[in-house]
Amino acid sequence: MYCYQCEETAKGCGCTSVGVCGKDAETAGLQDVLISLTKGIAVRNLAAMERGEGNGEAGRFIAEALFATLTNVNFDRERFHAYIDTAIALRDALPPAGADDADIAAKVGVLATENEDVRSLRELLVYGLKGVAAYSYHAAALGYEDDEVTAFIQKGLASTLRDLTVDEMVGLVLECGGVGVKTLALLDRANTETFGTPAITAVRTAPGTRPGILVTGHDLKDLKDLLDQTKGTGVDVYTHGEMLPAHAYPAFKKYENLVGNYGGSWPFQKEEFEAFNGPVLVTTNCLVPPKESYRDRVYTTGPVGFAGCTHIPAAADGTKDFSAVIAHAQACLPPKALHGRARPRWVSLFGEKGGDGSRDLVTGCAHGAVLAIADTVVDAVKAGAVRRFVVMAGCDGRQAERSYYTEFAEALPKDTVILTAGCAKFRYNGLALGDIGGIPRVLDAGQCNDCYSLVVIAQALAEAFGVGINDLPVSYNIAWYEQKAVLVLLALLHLGVKNIALGPRLPAFVSPGVLKVLVETFGIRANTTVADDLKVMVPGN
C-alpha cells in the first residue's frame, strides 16, 4: 500500500499500512488495480474512437470507477471486486490497440513510476481526473453529458502509460484544469436548469420533533427523489455538510418535508450521526468509517460503499427505492439538538437564536444571486466600503490546525468579504461577521463544485473594473483535502489565477521539482500564520 492522494496522508508523506481515512491495505490495492484497469480501457477505447467504434458505456464506467476511488467514498472490498470484474469485461470486449496495447500491462500502484517528478505529474493529473469524473458523474445523473469531457478523462489516463516530456505532462495537467472549468460549468447548468437558480437563503439548524432522515454528500437528484418518496410519511428530511446549499434552489423550497440542516462538515459526523437518531443517506464523499453504534442506520448509494451498511442501488431506469430508509426512520426517535454538548468551537458559534442555541446559516450566494446585485457590490468597492474579497473555498478536515481558517476569518478587517464554497465554510459560516451595506460578509456559493460561481463572479468583477483577474482586490486562501479540490485548483491555474495560498499542508504528491514549477509560474505557496497571511492577503492591514 502506498497512498498519498489526500491532505491528511500519514506524516505528510504517504499511508503504507492503513489509510488515515480508514482504508485498509487490501482495499487500497483493489483501488490501484481498478485505476490501472481504467487506463487499459482508455487506451483501447481511444483507439476504437478514432475508428468511430468507441464504447460510450466505457467512458461512463470510468467516471464512476474513478469517483469510487476518491478519498472517503468507498471502503467496500466486494464493491471493488465487482468494479474490477466489470472493468475487465469492458477492456477485453474492446479490440487491442496495436503497439499501444503493450502499455496496459504496466505495473500497478503509485510507486510503479520510479522518477519522482514524473510520478508527481502523473498522479497530479490522475487526481485532477478524479475530480473531473466526480463532477461529470453528477451532471450525467441529471441527463447532462459532454463527450469531450469523457474523452479527455480517457486521454489523460492513457497518457500516464506513455513516456512524455515534462513539458507535455505539465501541458496535460493544465489542460485538465481547462476541462475542469468546462465540467464545472456543465454541472452548474445541469443544477440550475433542473432545480432553478439559487437564491440567498437562511437555513434553519434547530431540529424538529418528528423522526428524520439525514442526507449527506453532494447528489441533489438523490435528495429530490428521497423528498418525493417521503411526502406524507411523517418523516422529515435534513441536509448535512455539502447538501446545505440545496435549500437555496427553488425546486427544493417547495418541499415542506425538507426542514433544515443538521450538523456541519464531514470530520464531525461520528458525533452528529450518533445524535441524529435516524437513518443517514450517504450519497457521495465524505464517509468516515461509521461506529458500530449507528452503522445499521447508515445507507449508501451511488459510488459510496462500506461493508455492513445497506446499499441502495439504482434500477435499470436510474430510479432508486428509498422505502427501506423511510421505514427505518419511522421507527426512530427525532434528532437530538446539537447545542447542548461538547463540540468544536465553530459549531458552538451557531449562536443564540430563538432560545434553542441554534443559528440560521446563509447559503445560495452563487453567481446568479450575486450578479443580480452586481451594481451594489461594484459601488461598495468603488466607495471603499468593501476593500477586499478573500476566496476561502475548499474542504474541511480533521486536524486541529484547521482552526486557522476560523481564526483567519475572525481576524479579517470588517471591510473585507469572504467568498466561499465547499465544506471549508463550516469553519466560519456560523460566526457573527455581519454585513457591509446589506452584502453578507460571508458569501457562500454552495458546494465545492460551486467554486465555478466564484470564478464567474471574479470574471464579472474584472470586466466591470476593466482589469485582469489578478489585478482585482481578491486574495485566495484555499483549504484542500481530497481530489475534487485538486481539480478546482487546476481550474484556477488554467484561468491564470496566481498567488494562491494553499493549506493546511501542501500536497505530498507534489515533488520538490514540480513545486518549483508551480511556485515560479503561478506563485503558489503554503499558508503560514494568521498574522503573516493577513499582511500578504489584505495589503495595508
Side-chain angles (χ1 to χ4, degrees), residues 17 51 80 120 136 138 182 264 267 320 326 368 411 429 436 446 509:
S17 57
R51 301 190 300 270
F80 280 110
S120 177
S136 64
H138 285 307
K182 187 173 188 176
K320 296 179 182 179
I326 296 167
N429 69 344
I436 302 173
F509 55 81

Side-chain angles (χ1 to χ4, degrees), residues 407-452:
E407 295 162 7
F408 186 88
E410 289 178 308
L412 283 170
K414 295 187 183 301
D415 56 359
T416 56
V417 172
I418 295 170
L419 301 176
T420 190
C423 60
K425 61 173 160 276
F426 286 101
R427 289 285 170 176
Y428 42 79
N429 69 344
L431 301 175
L433 297 181
D435 64 88
I436 302 173
I439 302 170
R441 285 195 58 222
V442 178
L443 293 174
D444 171 26
Q447 298 179 331
C448 54
N449 51 279
D450 291 309
C451 285
Y452 173 74

Side-chain angles (χ1 to χ4, degrees), residues 96-299:
D100 291 337
D101 213 53
D103 294 334
I104 70 174
K107 294 179 181 178
V108 172
V110 171
L111 298 181
T113 302
E114 295 181 4
N115 182 283
E116 184 181 39
D117 291 335
V118 173
R119 181 195 313 144
S120 177
L121 286 167
R122 285 178 176 175
E123 294 307 307
L124 179 56
L125 176 58
V126 169
Y127 301 153
L129 292 172
K130 289 188 181 189
V132 174
Y135 293 136
S136 64
Y137 175 91
H138 285 307
L142 297 174
Y144 290 72
E145 296 183 273
D146 188 323
D147 290 342
E148 292 183 2
V149 171
T150 53
F152 179 78
I153 293 174
Q154 294 170 80
K155 172 186 172 182
L157 288 171
S159 78
T160 65
L161 300 178
R162 298 165 51 210
D163 292 325
L164 303 177
T165 67
V166 169
D167 285 346
E168 287 174 325
M169 287 187 285
V170 170
L172 280 164
V173 167
L174 292 179
E175 186 179 356
C176 182
V179 173
V181 174
K182 187 173 188 176
T183 309
L184 292 169
L186 177 69
L187 181 53
D188 178 77
R189 183 163 65 89
N191 284 338
T192 54
E193 291 183 359
T194 304
F195 304 113
T197 300
I200 298 176
T201 302
V203 182
R204 176 183 171 86
T205 61
T209 58
R210 303 199 306 174
I213 298 172
L214 189 62
V215 184
T216 192
H218 303 77
D219 200 305
L220 297 179
K221 183 178 185 298
D222 283 340
L223 176 62
K224 180 186 181 301
D225 291 347
L226 178 67
L227 287 166
D228 286 334
Q229 294 177 40
T230 52
K231 285 181 180 178
T233 63
V235 173
D236 290 334
V237 176
Y238 296 79
T239 57
H240 175 270
E242 290 215 49
M243 294 301 286
L244 167 68
H247 294 271
Y249 288 92
F252 290 107
K253 291 180 182 293
K254 69 181 182 181
Y255 289 100
E256 294 182 359
N257 49 331
L258 180 60
V259 298
N261 188 77
Y262 187 90
S265 56
W266 69 269
F268 306 99
Q269 65 183 240
K270 287 187 175 182
E271 296 81 7
E272 292 167 354
F273 290 2
E274 186 86 72
F276 186 72
N277 286 331
V280 180
L281 178 65
V282 186
T283 65
T284 65
N285 60 309
C286 286
L287 173 64
V288 176
K291 296 162 61 177
E292 289 288 347
S293 57
Y294 64 80
R295 185 172 299 176
D296 68 317
R297 292 193 280 110
V298 174
Y299 292 78

